[in-house]
Amino acid sequence: MEVRALHKSFGTLEVLAGIDFTVARGEVVCVIGPSGSGKSTLLRCVNLLEEPTSGTVLVAGAEVTDPDVDIDQVRRGIGMVFQSFNLFPHLTVLQNLTLPQRRVLKRDKAEATRIARDRLARVGLTDKESSYPAQLSGGQQQRVAIARALAMDPQLMLFDEPTSALDPELVGDVLAVMRSLADEGMTMLVVTHEMSFAKEVADRVVFMDGGVIVEEGAPEQVIGAPGHARTQSFLSRLLDPAAARISPSDD
Ligand SMILES: Nc1ncnc2c1ncn2[C@@H]1O[C@H](COP(=O)(O)OP(=O)(O)O)[C@@H](O)[C@H]1O
Ligand SMILES: [Mg+2]
C-alpha cells in the first residue's frame, strides 16, 4: 500500500495535510496520535470510504484514486475492522461470515461455510457459529468481525481502534488474534492506542498530529525514544492521563 501527497479537507477544515507513506507486503504498521489528528480519515481514504481531495493511494498495484478504477474490486482485497463491530444482529455468526462471501465473491454455500469455519477457528470461536451477535461479549464480536474480514481473503487489513470499545479484560483476546495474523504475514495498518501491542508487533510506528506525519520509525524509536516534543507529550498523556494539566497553552 502506498499513499502519496494525500490531502483531505471537509469544507475549510484540512484534516490530512499531505501524507506520504508505504506499507510493504507482510509489514505491520501502527498509526498512533491524538484524537482528531486524521487517523480514521487516513484509513477511510485507503478504501475510498472518503474521497481524497488530492493525492494518490495504491493498493496491491491498483490505483484506488484513479477515477476509472473498479472500486468494488479494490475493496474486495481490503479487510476493514472498526471500533464498532458492525455485525448483522439478525444473522448467526456463521451467516455473518458466509453472506458477504456468497454475495460479493459468489462462493457457493458449501465453500463459504468451509471457509467461514476455518476463519472462526483462527479467531478461537469455533463453538459460537450458531450464536447471534447479541449473545457474545464485545471481544468475541470483534473477533467475529475479524474472521468475517479474513473470510474474504484480503491482501491488506485495516484496523481502526479495534479494541477501544472493549472492556479492559476483553482487549487481550482481540490483540492476541491480531498478533497471530501479523505472525502469519498479513499486511496490516492498525490505528491503536495500545502501545505495548505496537511495541511488540509493529514493524513501524507512525505518529500523526494535525493531519501530518510528525515522526515514523521503529517502535523502540518512536515509542521508546521519540524525537519530537509532540510525540513525547502525546505519549506521556497516554501513559498517565491523570497527570494532564489544563494550561493556557493547550487549545
Ligand atoms: N465526514 C466529516 N465531515 C466533517 N468533518 C469530519 C468528517 N470526518 C472527520 N472530520 C473531522 O476531521 C478531523 C479528523 O477526524 P478523524 O480522522 O476521525 O481523526 P482521528 O481518527 O485521528 O480521531 C476531526 O476534526 C473530525 O471532526
Ligand atoms: Mg479515529
Side-chain angles (χ1 to χ4, degrees):
M1 191 211 83
E2 186 172 347
V3 169
R4 288 194 212 124
L6 185 66
H7 288 256
K8 174 65 184 177
S9 298
F10 295 105
T12 57
L13 178 68
E14 188 175 49
V15 173
L16 298 178
I19 300 276
D20 293 271
F21 82 109
T22 58
V23 183
R25 192 181 301 272
E27 201 179 20
V28 179
V29 175
C30 284
V31 179
I32 62 173
S35 177
S37 56
K39 306 179 300 296
S40 294
T41 304
L42 171 63
L43 254 58
R44 292 168 61 79
C45 283
V46 170
N47 59 5
L48 236 56
L49 288 175
E50 294 290 356
E51 196 183 333
T53 307
S54 65
T56 44
V57 177
L58 295 145
V59 175
E63 189 189 331
V64 177
T65 38
D66 180 341
D68 296 326
V69 79
D70 179 351
I71 188 59
D72 293 329
Q73 171 72 31
V74 174
R75 281 202 191 112
R76 249 167 251 169
I78 306 175
M80 178 119 192
V81 176
F82 302 89
Q83 187 176 324
S84 54
F85 327 120
N86 299 324
L87 299 173
F88 292 115
H90 60 293
L91 298 181
T92 65
V93 164
L94 189 67
Q95 289 165 339
N96 264 282
L97 266 69
T98 54
L99 183 80
Q101 296 184 63
R102 301 192 66 189
R103 289 251 173 97
V104 179
L105 302 180
K106 310 294 176 204
R107 284 178 181 154
D108 65 33
K109 188 175 180 184
E111 194 192 7
T113 302
R114 180 182 65 74
I115 291 170
R117 290 191 170 132
D118 173 80
R119 302 307 186 265
L120 284 173
R122 279 171 70 175
V123 303
L125 290 176
T126 296
D127 54 332
K128 298 293 183 191
E129 69 168 58
S130 304
S131 300
Y132 287 87
Q135 298 170 317
L136 304 178
S137 73
Q140 289 170 335
Q141 290 185 55
Q142 190 59 299
R143 283 146 66 199
V144 172
I146 293 171
R148 177 183 54 181
L150 293 177
M152 306 300 280
D153 295 327
Q155 293 171 293
L156 167 69
M157 286 283 285
L158 307 176
F159 293 87
D160 193 356
E161 300 195 29
T163 59
S164 294
L166 302 177
D167 289 334
E169 78 272 21
L170 303 177
V171 167
D173 289 343
V174 172
L175 293 180
V177 165
M178 292 169 64
R179 189 177 285 121
S180 74
L181 275 185
D183 290 343
E184 289 163 23
M186 177 63 75
T187 310
M188 295 164 61
L189 181 57
V190 184
V191 174
T192 186
H193 292 296
E194 298 291 338
M195 290 306 126
S196 53
F197 175 83
K199 253 187 192 162
E200 279 170 43
V201 180
D203 297 300
R204 207 142 40 82
V205 172
V206 170
F207 172 68
M208 276 180 74
D209 194 10
V212 297
I213 293 176
V214 175
E215 93 177 89
E216 69 172 289
E220 55 273 22
Q221 178 204 322
V222 176
I223 299 173
H228 288 255
R230 280 152 87 184
T231 320
Q232 287 162 10
S233 137
F234 168 73
L235 288 170
S236 58
R237 270 181 283 140
L238 205 63
L239 289 172
D240 189 4
R245 296 273 183 279
I246 298 169
S247 74
S249 59
D250 286 350
D251 60 25

